[in-house]
Amino acid sequence: MKQSFITTIFLALVIAITSCNSANKTNTKETTATFPFALLKERNSLLAKAGDWISVQNKAYEICEKIKRDSNDIKSKLMLAQLYMQEARITGEHPYYYPATLTILNSVLKQSPDNFEALAFKSSVQLSLHHFSDALITGKKAVTINPDNAFIYGVLCDANVELGNYDEAVKMSDKMQSLRPGLESYSRASYLREIYGNNQAAIEAMKMAVQAGLPGSEEASWAGNTMSHLLENTGDLEHAEEISNIVLTQRPSYAFATDALGRIALARGEYDKAIQYFETAIEGMPEFSFYENMAEAYAAKGNQAKATEIYKSVITMLNEDAQSGHYADLELANVYTKLGDYDNALKHAQIEYKRRPANIDVNSVVAWVYFKKGNSAEAKKYMDVALRMGTKNAMILKKAGMIEIALNNKKSGEVLLAQAQKINPFLKEI
């Protein structure tokens, strides 16, 4: 699933972090001997300049002191888990914060097995780790404890989307919106509309999500960036660029918006400009997709050696994520495909397929690997599943068209290619 969706499942978790007058920070050397959980990780130099960093450090210090005084303080543990989940989103330090958060939440659940907040938060971490089946199980347990909480229906919506249970995901999205209309529910409605092939309705729903957010907040920035991506994917580069610039005006440290400007420059053929944007985004956050996009820019520029070097570094990053418990097989399949290593690409694509055989994105990736290996007949089987929801994703349609033409289904292939070109005239070569 898309990075811009999957890594934003914590939207409803965010509780405003209260600023403290005290400038005290956790003393790492003193605390590690007495504190049972991982400590707040220092931000890089760019993110440390963000206006919220001092208050985040102060809040972490206060919470840690409470837990040191009372190791059974469930409320403080849950507050620390929330803070760490938010830091994971802001900093991109997923291999550090997700295991740390799970340790905290499991501690709470050991004390209180039916604690709703701990179960809800744990299901969200499982989603971010791409443990979608586990997230669904945890989320279902949570909803039996509190069936009137909007957030948990968002979790169930996300898990069902990732597992390819789209009709069930719609039911969960509708339930969430009936309980609490807002940024979180509108954004899920937007993504479901995109899955069902209604790009314009998806954009309209995401506009509502943007309007519902507090300008400059992390969640509103995510919504703006997601709308920019929708516009980019439907060929409206001008408005996509405009929105990304607004996001950066309101939150200058938001690296995903800088990356979006890089993708827009890449789509326009401005390769050096795109690379500069990607380099700036990487300075702000170690997000693998930024590196992957930069590799694409170098490849488009004709520097395949540099692109290969970067793709290999992305594989290293993804394997590090996998070591921390993150399922990264779909992402690895994509990168290995770009490297031309189709055997490894197929290995990882099949691993992910076994986890969620009904997901349309997974089927699209498996189909494309088979096509690149020269087995178009097998590719078509998976691509037919990827197309079953009526997607209007231009890249998927383009790949489907190329598979049809390879099978000598020229007419149907040309129809698919024409649809893809109409939806997004700026589609890159593949």
Side-chain angles (χ1 to χ4, degrees):
M1 192 53 62
K2 302 175 183 179
Q3 177 275 330
S4 60
F5 181 72
I6 293 302
T7 64
T8 58
I9 58 169
F10 294 135
L11 287 170
L13 290 174
V14 181
I15 293 179
I17 299 173
T18 307
S19 297
C20 304
N21 293 327
S22 168
N24 292 329
K25 297 182 182 179
T26 303
N27 185 306
T28 303
K29 190 172 183 179
E30 175 186 340
T31 308
T32 50
T34 55
F35 191 65
F37 306 120
L39 299 172
L40 185 70
K41 186 179 178 68
E42 288 290 331
R43 291 184 182 179
N44 66 38
S45 58
L46 288 177
L47 289 176
K49 296 176 183 177
D52 66 339
W53 180 225
I54 294 297
S55 64
V56 168
Q57 292 177 93
N58 289 335
K59 192 66 176 178
Y61 175 81
E62 291 179 355
I63 295 171
C64 291
E65 287 299 303
K66 289 180 181 179
I67 295 172
K68 284 165 63 179
R69 289 193 295 269
D70 180 3
S71 61
N72 294 316
D73 185 347
I74 286 178
K75 181 179 179 181
S76 293
K77 289 179 182 180
L78 291 173
M79 290 176 67
L80 188 63
Q82 287 179 312
L83 189 149
Y84 281 6
M85 288 188 288
Q86 182 69 353
E87 277 298 288
R89 288 167 50 79
I90 290 172
T91 66
E93 297 287 354
H94 305 149
Y96 182 84
Y97 280 114
Y98 289 155
T101 304
L102 282 177
T103 299
I104 298 168
L105 294 174
N106 286 334
S107 172
V108 172
L109 290 169
K110 185 177 181 180
Q111 294 174 247
S112 178
D114 292 329
N115 185 286
F116 171 76
E117 289 80 5
L119 288 168
F121 298 165
K122 182 175 182 177
S123 62
S124 287
V125 176
Q126 289 170 327
L127 282 173
S128 283
L129 291 171
H130 292 189
H131 294 201
F132 302 121
S133 294
D134 292 339
L136 185 62
I137 292 169
T138 307
K140 284 182 175 180
K141 181 176 180 180
V143 81
T144 63
I145 297 168
N146 186 352
D148 297 317
N149 180 275
F151 167 74
I152 198 60
Y153 289 102
V155 170
L156 293 173
C157 173
D158 296 345
N160 278 296
V161 163
E162 298 298 343
L163 293 170
N165 307 327
Y166 300 115
D167 290 345
E168 185 65 18
V170 170
K171 293 177 184 177
M172 298 299 100
S173 174
D174 289 347
K175 181 67 174 178
M176 182 185 190
Q177 192 158 321
S178 70
L179 289 169
R180 190 178 65 198
L183 187 152
E184 296 87 358
S185 58
Y186 296 149
S187 63
R188 286 173 169 89
S190 172
Y191 191 62
L192 284 165
R193 291 176 182 182
E194 185 183 2
I195 287 171
Y196 279 82
N198 196 334
N199 290 337
Q200 190 55 48
I203 292 170
E204 292 302 319
M206 193 54 69
K207 283 181 181 177
M208 294 171 64
V210 172
Q211 292 166 359
L214 177 66
S217 66
E218 196 278 338
E219 59 268 37
S221 299
W222 172 83
N225 189 64
T226 303
M227 189 167 78
S228 173
H229 205 196
L230 282 167
L231 292 166
E232 175 195 340
N233 287 341
T234 51
D236 191 351
L237 299 185
E238 181 179 352
H239 285 107
E241 182 180 36
E242 179 183 342
I243 291 170
S244 293
N245 280 320
I246 291 172
V247 170
L248 285 170
T249 298
Q250 296 173 343
R251 191 178 180 89
S253 64
Y254 198 68
F256 287 104
T258 304
D259 173 71
L261 292 175
R263 292 196 312 270
I264 292 166
L266 177 58
R268 288 172 170 161
E270 301 168 349
Y271 304 133
D272 290 334
K273 186 176 181 180
I275 289 168
Q276 289 178 356
Y277 278 127
F278 296 140
E279 287 175 343
T280 301
I282 288 167
E283 287 178 19
M285 180 182 289
E287 165 60 39
F288 82 90
S289 64
F290 300 167
Y291 288 91
E292 192 173 356
N293 291 334
M294 185 162 65
E296 289 190 14
Y298 274 110
K301 189 180 177 182
N303 191 341
Q304 189 59 50
K306 182 66 173 178
T308 298
E309 175 189 335
I310 297 171
Y311 280 135
K312 288 181 178 179
S313 71
V314 172
I315 289 173
T316 299
M317 294 173 68
L318 290 171
N319 282 327
E320 289 174 352
D321 270 2
Q323 289 171 8
S324 71
H326 181 270
Y327 289 161
D329 292 288
L330 191 66
E331 293 82 1
L332 283 165
N334 277 319
V335 179
Y336 276 121
T337 301
K338 292 173 182 177
L339 280 170
D341 186 349
Y342 304 129
D343 289 339
N344 268 317
L346 184 59
K347 180 184 76 172
H348 287 284
Q350 288 176 330
I351 290 171
E352 192 62 35
Y353 178 81
K354 288 178 182 178
R355 294 189 186 115
R356 43 194 185 125
N359 181 276
I360 61 175
D361 293 308
V362 173
N363 278 275
S364 173
V365 170
V366 176
W368 191 241
V369 176
Y370 272 117
F371 173 78
K372 298 298 283 187
K373 284 177 68 69
N375 191 342
S376 296
E378 194 68 15
K380 179 174 169 55
K381 295 177 185 177
Y382 292 95
M383 187 56 76
D384 285 347
V385 177
L387 296 175
R388 81 181 195 277
M389 303 305 298
T391 182
K392 294 300 183 291
N393 180 297
M395 183 57 72
I396 292 179
L397 292 174
K398 183 172 183 176
K399 290 177 177 178
M402 293 174 67
I403 291 170
E404 290 293 331
I405 289 173
L407 291 169
N408 295 318
N409 301 326
K410 184 177 179 181
K411 185 175 180 180
S412 59
E414 288 179 346
V415 168
L416 287 164
L417 292 177
Q419 288 179 347
Q421 185 67 19
K422 183 177 180 180
I423 292 167
N424 185 1
F426 297 96
L427 272 182
K428 62 180 181 293
E429 295 296 322
I430 52 174

